[in-house]
Amino acid sequence: MHILLTRPIEDCSEMIIKFQSLDHKVSHLSLINVENVQHEKINFNDYGGIIFTSSNAVKNLNIENLNKKLICFCVGSATEKKARSLGFQNTIAAEGNVSNLKELIFQNYELKETPLLYISGEIITTDLDQQLLKEGYAVKRIINYKVNHTENFDENFVNELKQNIPDIVYVYSQNSASSFLNFIKIYQTENLWMNTNLMCIGEKTSSILNEIKWKKIFLFNPGEEEFLLYKI
């Protein structure tokens, strides 16, 4: 099968190698780029735990004066791996799902009087901080990155893609979905995806691309990419 991956290359290089080892053709289209956002200085000693719902939040964290023994809640294994690379020692990872992450916090963090620090991007799919506040937790959200849409694409790559439209496309966020829709419209390929299976994280992501006619739309969590190959 021909598979199109749309995450930044550093986030999907291992997956490219994995799919190629399974004899699939893999194309890569980076739809977004991440920009650091300046924010207030963080005193990590004021918090009992830290929450990451994306590896980008970890990558853009200023680790000066970081308390690496903080209990660190990560949305998935890739985010946990990145957190551990910064030296976090006490990490707990969900299965790529914010709802599961919230349950892990309920199970493993009872000190509601000690605030949690939630590091995130400018746009989030789920208002995790607000949900935790409603449950009595003290939560401070700090935005440390924002996402910009890719505007310039390699014309040779686009022409090759038009000649060989992928069987599967993986889209990981609302930002990426918006950028992909823009890409489709710019290059007037709206009618070329009818035999393509669209894989999206969450309904909010898939809804952005609903105006395009796809073969099927699947919802998935990070880590399930290979499993989905056997469902189509």
Side-chain angles (χ1 to χ4, degrees), residues 129-192:
D129 56 327
Q130 296 302 313
Q131 294 181 24
L132 290 171
L133 285 169
K134 289 179 181 177
E135 295 293 334
Y137 288 88
V139 184
K140 170 75 171 181
R141 180 187 172 199
I142 289 182
I143 296 169
N144 73 339
Y145 75 93
K146 66 179 181 180
V147 169
N148 299 313
H149 298 290
T150 302
E151 297 180 355
N152 298 312
F153 299 95
D154 182 84
E155 293 292 337
N156 291 328
F157 172 83
V158 173
N159 290 332
E160 290 177 8
L161 197 68
K162 286 182 177 180
Q163 296 301 315
N164 185 9
I165 293 294
D167 302 292
I168 298 175
V169 179
Y170 290 93
V171 180
Y172 286 80
S173 68
Q174 295 176 64
N175 280 316
S176 291
S178 297
S179 188
F180 191 37
L181 181 62
N182 184 54
F183 170 84
I184 290 171
K185 291 184 175 181
I186 286 175
Y187 293 102
Q188 300 178 337
T189 63
E190 290 94 331
N191 298 319
L192 299 182

Side-chain angles (χ1 to χ4, degrees), residues 1-229:
M1 283 187 289
H2 182 192
I3 299 168
L4 179 64
L5 298 176
T6 62
R7 299 183 84 181
I9 189 66
E10 64 270 18
D11 294 328
C12 64
S13 56
E14 291 183 5
M15 196 177 304
I16 290 174
I17 294 171
K18 176 64 175 179
F19 284 158
Q20 288 176 336
S21 73
L22 296 172
D23 294 325
H24 298 296
K25 174 180 171 61
V26 182
S27 296
H28 175 253
L29 178 66
S30 184
L31 294 169
I32 60 175
N33 57 79
V34 176
E35 179 182 343
N36 186 274
V37 170
Q38 295 299 314
H39 55 78
E40 64 190 81
K41 188 174 181 179
I42 302 171
N43 184 352
F44 292 97
N45 293 322
D46 290 340
Y47 303 93
I50 189 168
I51 303 169
F52 297 113
T53 50
S54 78
S55 58
N56 286 322
V58 185
K59 291 174 188 175
N60 287 278
L61 182 67
N62 183 345
I63 61 173
E64 183 182 359
N65 301 318
L66 178 62
N67 177 6
K68 296 179 179 180
K69 293 183 179 179
L70 281 175
I71 184 169
C72 179
F73 295 98
C74 302
V75 72
S77 58
T79 303
E80 181 184 35
K81 182 178 179 181
K82 190 65 181 177
R84 284 190 165 273
S85 75
L86 293 185
F88 280 102
Q89 301 164 12
N90 187 10
T91 61
I92 298 176
E95 299 174 353
N97 185 292
V98 175
S99 295
N100 292 340
L101 179 61
K102 182 173 69 173
E103 291 303 317
L104 283 176
I105 294 170
F106 290 164
Q107 295 168 16
N108 294 278
Y109 197 83
E110 297 181 357
L111 301 175
K112 294 186 179 181
E113 69 276 10
T114 306
L116 284 162
L117 177 63
Y118 177 29
I119 306 293
S120 75
E122 191 174 39
I123 297 176
I124 53 176
T125 303
T126 304
D127 57 347
L128 177 59
D129 56 327
Q130 296 302 313
Q131 294 181 24
L132 290 171
L133 285 169
K134 289 179 181 177
E135 295 293 334
Y137 288 88
V139 184
K140 170 75 171 181
R141 180 187 172 199
I142 289 182
I143 296 169
N144 73 339
Y145 75 93
K146 66 179 181 180
V147 169
N148 299 313
H149 298 290
T150 302
E151 297 180 355
N152 298 312
F153 299 95
D154 182 84
E155 293 292 337
N156 291 328
F157 172 83
V158 173
N159 290 332
E160 290 177 8
L161 197 68
K162 286 182 177 180
Q163 296 301 315
N164 185 9
I165 293 294
D167 302 292
I168 298 175
V169 179
Y170 290 93
V171 180
Y172 286 80
S173 68
Q174 295 176 64
N175 280 316
S176 291
S178 297
S179 188
F180 191 37
L181 181 62
N182 184 54
F183 170 84
I184 290 171
K185 291 184 175 181
I186 286 175
Y187 293 102
Q188 300 178 337
T189 63
E190 290 94 331
N191 298 319
L192 299 182
W193 303 92
M194 292 184 287
N195 293 314
T196 298
N197 293 285
L198 176 67
M199 313 297 192
C200 289
I201 290 186
E203 292 183 6
K204 291 181 179 179
T205 300
S206 67
S207 65
I208 294 171
L209 291 160
N210 276 345
E211 65 182 86
I212 306 299
K213 185 171 179 59
W214 307 93
K215 184 176 182 180
K216 286 185 179 179
I217 297 177
F218 296 86
L219 303 181
F220 76 101
N221 294 317
E224 298 177 346
E225 290 89 345
E226 183 180 350
F227 170 73
L228 286 176
L229 297 180

